[in-house]
Amino acid sequence: MEDIKKRILDKIKPSDEEREYLTKVANELMYKIDSITFKVGLMGVKTQLVGSAARGTWISGTHDLDIFIMFPDDTSREDLESYGLSVGRQIAKEAQEWDEHYAEHPYVKMKYGGFDVDLVPCYSVSSAECILSAVDRTPFHNEFIKANLSGREDDVLLLKQFMKGTGVYGSELKTEGFSGYLTELLVINYGSFEKVLEAASEWRPGLLLDLIEHGAQKFEDPLVVIDPTDPRRNVAAALSLDKFCTFIDASRSFLEDSDESMFFASQEPPLSDAELLDRMDLRGTSLVAIVFKTPDVVDDIFYPQFAKMEHSIVPLLEKNEFTVLKAGKWSGEDSVVFLELISKTLPDVKRHRGPPVWVRAHAEAFRSKYVDNPDAYSLTIRDGFYVAEIPRKYIDAVELLESEVAGCSLGKHISKSVKEGFTVLEGEQILDLKDEGLRSFLNGWL
Amino acid sequence: MEDIKKRILDKIKPSDEEREYLTKVANELMYKIDSITFKVGLMGVKTQLVGSAARGTWISGTHDLDIFIMFPDDTSREDLESYGLSVGRQIAKEAQEWDEHYAEHPYVKMKYGGFDVDLVPCYSVSSAECILSAVDRTPFHNEFIKANLSGREDDVLLLKQFMKGTGVYGSELKTEGFSGYLTELLVINYGSFEKVLEAASEWRPGLLLDLIEHGAQKFEDPLVVIDPTDPRRNVAAALSLDKFCTFIDASRSFLEDSDESMFFASQEPPLSDAELLDRMDLRGTSLVAIVFKTPDVVDDIFYPQFAKMEHSIVPLLEKNEFTVLKAGKWSGEDSVVFLELISKTLPDVKRHRGPPVWVRAHAEAFRSKYVDNPDAYSLTIRDGFYVAEIPRKYIDAVELLESEVAGCSLGKHISKSVKEGFTVLEGEQILDLKDEGLRSFLNGWL
């Protein structure tokens, strides 16, 4: 175990030179910001490096610098936004490239000295409980971690890398995994990388970690880690049940049989046409794909809609009595929802159970609807209920999807894209999807 | 309505000549029995005509005479049986044909003067609550009906014929419908044929009729009619929920639109090969038939086993994930269980859901069984549970049935017959079943 940890750290821990260079670039940027704010006469504005770069928990080769421009809390929102942007734009003049982003406030992102730099304006408040916007909390996180983690930065590096390798790192809505801040808190809480894994092996949903015992609210999430800087916030709110469980599973596996490769996710090789056909043939199921153009929105907007799409389409199929073995999603230039069905076709006849015979009003209405109906196959009584055999609306899942997907609850941007056009492919037609990333996804999923 | 009733009664009510002839034959038989018992010196033995023939509620053309030979209640069981049989055998010398049957006591059945005569020995007891064998109750039924029905015999005739026509008459285990005694009690309770139908239109399961308000026990049957001669007996115990509901349904239909044809069941014409193929084609389902030699036992032994067979086979299919749309049974020289499936084949891959990841001992056992299993397609985590994709044991319902039907819980006689040999037919192979009765059954069922 110690050997493995050493070998991993050799790969992921920034060298002294890397560290020094980062500090140099960060200081240079902060100095420039301070000069600009001084020049325009902005009083009480401070700059601070936050995030993993500030805490010594960044993985070698990642080049992110988060610099916060902290305005006094009596600054108007308009002033904060316009001055924040204006500072950012002046710095950006010396950047390799840059653009403006809009979160709660607008901010400037740029390439500078080989780093991805975010220049984020925020309010400087007296405690995390008085924050005026979500980003105002970050400087307090920085403070807490620096005060409590010291000496265990390597454990955080190992935990982050292990989570990356097992696919559970990242709290963005595409991943629904663990945030960097959360890994730091876990190391502080349990003491070390191994102790986090040992604890996780025994985790159950509903677990509450409250490092300074000040939690002031109930949460329903699988894991609840009360933010030490804010008693009303669950740091693990973005973590899905399945990523929580995947981490439990990975922790047990690694402790049982320490396998270095778990730290590094390996992409499956893309399936060739012949391999994909073989795979479909072996399984014997019906594979169906809904393909549409990926809307031009950020991941945090797109992925919740993509999940919503899956959660609308599976019930649509099930309501029409198609049995869905599993559903999967992939997104590149096009986005694809895959559905694996027991069978894409169903017989024409369908059992339609009516009311119990003894509930007279309903029973008579049902009976009169089906008793002499030329479309109905039969009307019988089974277990006290009327049962009509009627023709099915859709005997082919492809036809069902072509007719009804656009009417599903899909989320704004996906709905727009789908209405502009989508195709439903099945079986061999899926070979038309040539994207290597998609073929690689299918290798893991199918 | 009055017209219809008159026309039906014209067909089913015995003429004066038929009545006189029945009385003559019954009296002749009873006189002979009395002579024999007198001759052998049996003291206190009485004979009595019971059943519908005695109550004026027999339908013209049915030729059943039930004559009870009633022994004093201090007679030993051996004496009752030996004298009962001996009397029966002597009478039988003058019968066209005869044989011996074994119910609670042995008794003689014969053809005599064109009638099917049962000569049943029983005990003469002081009240129905002191009966020594099940048949001892019958003379009390006779007494109660004669005392309470008088003048409404035609209503019983109409009700019996209506129940015959709608398939709910007969309390034997093949039919699970209404007994003759039950129809008489219903007419006594509600007052007339129409009033029974009007009441039945509003029936709900759990209905209790207790004509003399002496019920002494709770019953769970759909219809509970406390026997006026025995507070612990439900006269409708044999009535199934579906026959109960079929009668409700038929009553409403007839009252809404009095259709004389409802009094006479019409057999569906047998399906030709072409029609049967068309029918299967139109429905688009997979039809499977399990065929075995009907065991040589009476209906009341056979039919409960046949029902048990269906109730074993449907879950066997469902456990193996075949979707059964409906099951049907037909019995002649061979017996056949028909199963209509959404599809007789399934894909090789099957979802096998394991324990939640956080239930450690079970989770680890499941994981280690499937994680590196070359037969398993995959092991994933979904909604907190491990899910393994594994090959299906049976991908063809015919194969499943051929392998496992003989091991099902089938009842003694059917099990023996099935073990001696059975075949499973599917689709076009079912055309091999040529029996006209079976083809007629299929016309109604499929």
Side-chain angles (χ1 to χ4, degrees):
Chain A
M1 172 73 93
E2 293 306 315
D3 277 3
I4 291 177
K5 279 161 57 180
K6 199 181 160 302
R7 281 200 299 276
I8 302 290
L9 283 173
D10 282 349
K11 289 183 192 165
I12 66 170
K13 192 173 173 174
S15 64
D16 289 348
E17 297 76 48
E18 201 174 344
R19 246 170 240 282
E20 279 159 21
Y21 179 64
L22 178 134
T23 308
K24 183 179 150 281
V25 174
N27 286 341
E28 189 177 305
L29 279 166
M30 289 194 287
Y31 177 78
K32 287 187 175 171
I33 295 166
D34 288 342
S35 307
I36 293 167
T37 54
F38 181 77
K39 212 173 346 175
V40 294
L42 284 173
M43 302 298 288
V45 173
K46 296 171 289 180
T47 57
Q48 191 182 356
L49 177 66
V50 298
S52 57
R55 302 170 195 161
T57 58
W58 50 289
I59 285 175
S60 170
T62 56
H63 292 90
D64 294 318
L65 285 180
D66 296 327
I67 294 174
F68 275 41
I69 307 167
M70 301 164 72
F71 290 79
D73 60 2
D74 58 357
T75 313
S76 74
R77 198 166 269 258
E78 293 76 32
D79 282 356
L80 178 139
E81 295 186 356
S82 69
Y83 286 118
L85 261 184
S86 148
V87 171
R89 285 171 184 160
Q90 287 182 60
I91 303 289
K93 287 176 186 158
E94 297 170 50
Q96 283 89 31
E97 52 186 72
W98 68 284
D99 54 10
E100 287 172 22
H101 284 256
Y102 298 84
E104 201 171 332
H105 310 307
Y107 68 99
V108 171
K109 258 174 141 37
M110 64 185 81
K111 280 269 185 212
Y112 185 101
F115 288 87
D116 293 312
V117 182
D118 284 6
L119 291 188
V120 180
C122 77
Y123 285 105
S124 175
V125 291
S126 58
S127 93
E129 289 175 64
C130 323
I131 58 169
L132 299 171
S133 69
V135 288
D136 303 346
R137 204 183 276 113
T138 308
F140 294 97
H141 291 171
N142 226 35
E143 205 176 302
F144 182 83
I145 297 299
K146 281 167 110 168
N148 291 279
L149 182 67
S150 98
R152 288 174 290 183
E153 288 82 358
D154 287 356
D155 290 283
V156 172
L157 290 179
L158 288 165
L159 184 56
K160 282 186 179 176
Q161 189 63 38
F162 182 76
M163 286 180 164
K164 284 185 186 206
T166 53
V168 300
Y169 187 71
S171 61
E172 67 283 4
L173 296 175
K174 176 177 178 178
T175 309
E176 299 187 312
F178 293 79
S179 67
Y181 180 46
L182 181 52
T183 62
E184 293 163 338
L185 292 177
L186 289 174
V187 168
I188 292 170
N189 187 73
Y190 290 113
S192 71
F193 168 64
E194 282 114 303
K195 283 185 176 157
V196 172
L197 267 50
E198 279 160 17
S201 301
E202 300 284 350
W203 278 357
R204 287 167 166 266
L207 177 68
L208 172 69
L209 301 179
D210 188 356
L211 280 72
I212 63 168
E213 292 180 4
H214 72 149
Q217 197 177 312
K218 285 257 171 215
F219 294 93
E220 295 298 316
D221 305 307
L223 175 62
V224 178
V225 180
I226 301 296
D227 191 339
T229 75
D230 183 347
R232 304 194 173 279
R233 180 170 177 263
N234 175 18
V235 180
L239 180 65
S240 71
L241 178 64
D242 282 353
K243 290 295 161 83
F244 175 77
C245 287
T246 301
F247 181 61
I248 296 173
D249 173 73
S251 296
R252 288 183 194 146
S253 295
F254 184 73
L255 292 175
E256 194 189 304
D257 175 16
S258 302
D259 176 357
E260 204 172 324
S261 75
M262 288 182 77
F263 284 86
F264 303 98
S266 62
Q267 179 90 322
E268 301 279 349
L271 290 178
S272 69
D273 284 2
E275 285 167 330
L276 180 50
L277 277 179
D278 265 9
R279 201 68 74 92
M280 291 195 278
D281 206 44
L282 191 66
R283 298 176 69 91
T285 50
S286 297
L287 191 60
V288 174
I290 306 171
V291 186
F292 60 98
K293 202 174 162 328
T294 306
D296 185 20
V297 288
V298 296
D299 283 359
D300 271 7
I301 303 282
F302 174 70
Y303 278 95
Q305 292 185 16
F306 208 17
K308 188 177 183 176
M309 180 175 190
E310 178 184 330
H311 295 137
S312 294
I313 287 174
V314 171
L316 170 70
L317 286 160
E318 287 172 344
K319 212 186 76 191
N320 285 275
E321 297 185 359
F322 293 94
T323 308
V324 180
L325 267 179
K326 62 180 174 186
K329 301 187 296 294
W330 176 88
S331 183
E333 201 171 315
D334 283 337
S335 291
V336 187
V337 177
F338 288 100
L339 300 148
E340 188 182 31
L341 308 176
I342 287 282
S343 169
K344 80 170 196 78
T345 55
L346 287 175
D348 189 58
V349 67
K350 167 192 160 87
R351 260 187 79 157
H352 176 39
R353 200 175 87 154
V357 172
W358 57 86
V359 180
R360 185 164 187 177
H362 292 110
E364 289 186 332
F366 189 85
R367 183 183 209 285
S368 71
K369 183 166 177 190
Y370 293 109
V371 70
D372 287 322
N373 186 331
D375 289 336
Y377 288 91
S378 73
L379 176 70
T380 51
I381 292 168
R382 240 183 292 177
D383 302 329
F385 288 76
Y386 279 117
V387 176
E389 291 181 325
I390 57 173
R392 211 174 277 284
K393 188 164 178 198
Y394 295 105
I395 63 169
D396 189 313
V398 172
E399 213 180 294
L400 162 65
L401 293 170
E402 285 174 344
S403 303
E404 306 220 351
V405 158
C408 282
S409 176
L410 301 176
K412 188 173 151 194
H413 303 91
I414 292 187
S415 185
K416 187 163 173 287
S417 172
V418 164
K419 280 183 181 131
E420 283 163 11
F422 69 100
T423 50
V424 181
L425 306 177
E426 62 95 6
E428 293 194 15
Q429 296 170 342
I430 290 170
L431 299 181
D432 291 352
L433 302 173
K434 301 288 186 198
D435 187 288
E436 293 233 326
L438 178 142
R439 290 296 184 94
S440 159
F441 161 79
L442 280 176
N443 195 1
W445 178 75
L446 192 62
Chain B
M1 173 72 94
E2 292 307 314
D3 278 3
I4 291 178
K5 280 161 58 180
K6 199 181 161 300
R7 281 201 298 277
I8 301 292
L9 284 172
D10 282 349
K11 290 184 191 164
I12 65 169
K13 192 174 174 175
S15 64
D16 289 348
E17 297 76 49
E18 202 175 342
R19 245 170 240 283
E20 278 158 23
Y21 179 63
L22 178 136
T23 309
K24 185 180 149 282
V25 174
N27 286 341
E28 189 178 304
L29 279 165
M30 291 194 286
Y31 177 78
K32 286 185 177 173
I33 295 165
D34 288 344
S35 306
I36 292 165
T37 54
F38 181 78
K39 215 176 338 177
V40 294
L42 285 174
M43 302 296 288
V45 173
K46 295 171 287 178
T47 57
Q48 193 183 354
L49 177 66
V50 298
S52 58
R55 303 169 196 161
T57 59
W58 51 288
I59 285 175
S60 172
T62 57
H63 291 92
D64 295 318
L65 285 180
D66 297 326
I67 295 174
F68 275 41
I69 308 168
M70 300 164 73
F71 291 80
D73 60 2
D74 58 356
T75 313
S76 74
R77 197 165 270 257
E78 292 75 31
D79 281 357
L80 177 138
E81 294 188 356
S82 70
Y83 285 119
L85 261 184
S86 146
V87 171
R89 285 170 183 160
Q90 287 183 59
I91 304 288
K93 286 176 188 162
E94 296 169 52
Q96 282 91 29
E97 52 185 72
W98 68 283
D99 52 11
E100 288 172 20
H101 284 254
Y102 298 84
E104 200 171 333
H105 311 305
Y107 68 99
V108 170
K109 257 176 143 36
M110 64 184 81
K111 281 268 183 212
Y112 184 100
F115 287 89
D116 295 312
V117 181
D118 286 5
L119 291 188
V120 181
C122 76
Y123 285 107
S124 176
V125 291
S126 59
S127 93
E129 290 175 62
C130 322
I131 58 168
L132 298 171
S133 68
V135 288
D136 302 346
R137 205 184 275 115
T138 309
F140 293 97
H141 291 170
N142 227 35
E143 205 174 300
F144 182 84
I145 298 300
K146 280 166 109 167
N148 292 280
L149 182 67
S150 99
R152 288 174 292 183
E153 289 82 0
D154 286 357
D155 290 283
V156 172
L157 289 179
L158 289 165
L159 183 57
K160 282 186 180 178
Q161 189 62 38
F162 182 75
M163 286 180 164
K164 284 185 186 206
T166 53
V168 300
Y169 187 70
S171 61
E172 66 285 2
L173 296 174
K174 176 177 178 178
T175 309
E176 300 187 311
F178 294 77
S179 68
Y181 180 46
L182 181 51
T183 61
E184 293 162 338
L185 292 177
L186 289 174
V187 168
I188 291 170
N189 186 73
Y190 291 112
S192 71
F193 168 64
E194 282 113 304
K195 282 183 177 158
V196 172
L197 267 51
E198 278 159 17
S201 301
E202 300 285 351
W203 278 357
R204 289 167 163 265
L207 178 69
L208 171 69
L209 301 179
D210 188 357
L211 281 70
I212 63 167
E213 292 182 2
H214 73 149
Q217 198 178 311
K218 284 256 173 215
F219 295 91
E220 295 297 316
D221 306 305
L223 175 63
V224 179
V225 180
I226 302 296
D227 192 339
T229 75
D230 183 347
R232 305 196 171 278
R233 179 168 178 264
N234 174 18
V235 180
L239 179 66
S240 71
L241 177 63
D242 281 353
K243 290 297 160 83
F244 174 76
C245 286
T246 302
F247 182 61
I248 296 173
D249 173 74
S251 296
R252 288 183 195 146
S253 296
F254 184 73
L255 292 175
E256 194 188 305
D257 174 18
S258 303
D259 175 357
E260 202 171 325
S261 75
M262 289 183 77
F263 284 86
F264 303 98
S266 62
Q267 181 87 321
E268 301 278 351
L271 289 178
S272 69
D273 285 1
E275 285 167 331
L276 181 48
L277 278 179
D278 266 9
R279 202 69 73 93
M280 293 195 278
D281 206 45
L282 193 65
R283 298 176 69 91
T285 51
S286 297
L287 191 60
V288 173
I290 305 170
V291 187
F292 61 98
K293 205 172 160 328
T294 306
D296 185 21
V297 287
V298 296
D299 283 359
D300 272 6
I301 303 282
F302 175 72
Y303 278 94
Q305 294 186 14
F306 207 18
K308 188 177 184 178
M309 179 175 191
E310 178 184 330
H311 294 137
S312 295
I313 288 174
V314 171
L316 171 69
L317 286 160
E318 287 171 345
K319 212 187 75 192
N320 285 275
E321 298 186 355
F322 293 95
T323 307
V324 181
L325 266 180
K326 62 180 174 187
K329 303 187 296 293
W330 177 87
S331 183
E333 202 172 314
D334 284 335
S335 291
V336 186
V337 177
F338 288 99
L339 299 148
E340 189 183 30
L341 308 175
I342 286 281
S343 170
K344 81 170 197 79
T345 56
L346 287 174
D348 189 58
V349 66
K350 167 191 158 88
R351 261 187 79 157
H352 176 38
R353 200 175 86 154
V357 172
W358 56 86
V359 180
R360 185 164 186 176
H362 290 110
E364 290 186 332
F366 188 85
R367 183 181 208 285
S368 69
K369 184 166 177 190
Y370 293 109
V371 70
D372 286 321
N373 188 330
D375 289 337
Y377 288 91
S378 74
L379 176 70
T380 51
I381 292 168
R382 241 183 293 176
D383 301 329
F385 288 77
Y386 279 118
V387 176
E389 290 182 325
I390 57 174
R392 212 173 277 283
K393 189 165 179 200
Y394 296 105
I395 62 168
D396 190 314
V398 172
E399 214 180 293
L400 162 65
L401 293 170
E402 283 174 347
S403 303
E404 307 220 351
V405 158
C408 282
S409 175
L410 300 176
K412 190 174 151 194
H413 302 93
I414 291 186
S415 184
K416 186 163 174 288
S417 172
V418 164
K419 280 182 181 130
E420 283 164 12
F422 70 100
T423 50
V424 181
L425 307 177
E426 61 95 7
E428 290 195 17
Q429 296 170 342
I430 290 169
L431 299 182
D432 291 352
L433 302 174
K434 301 289 187 198
D435 186 287
E436 294 234 323
L438 178 142
R439 291 295 183 92
S440 158
F441 161 79
L442 280 176
N443 195 1
W445 179 75
L446 193 62

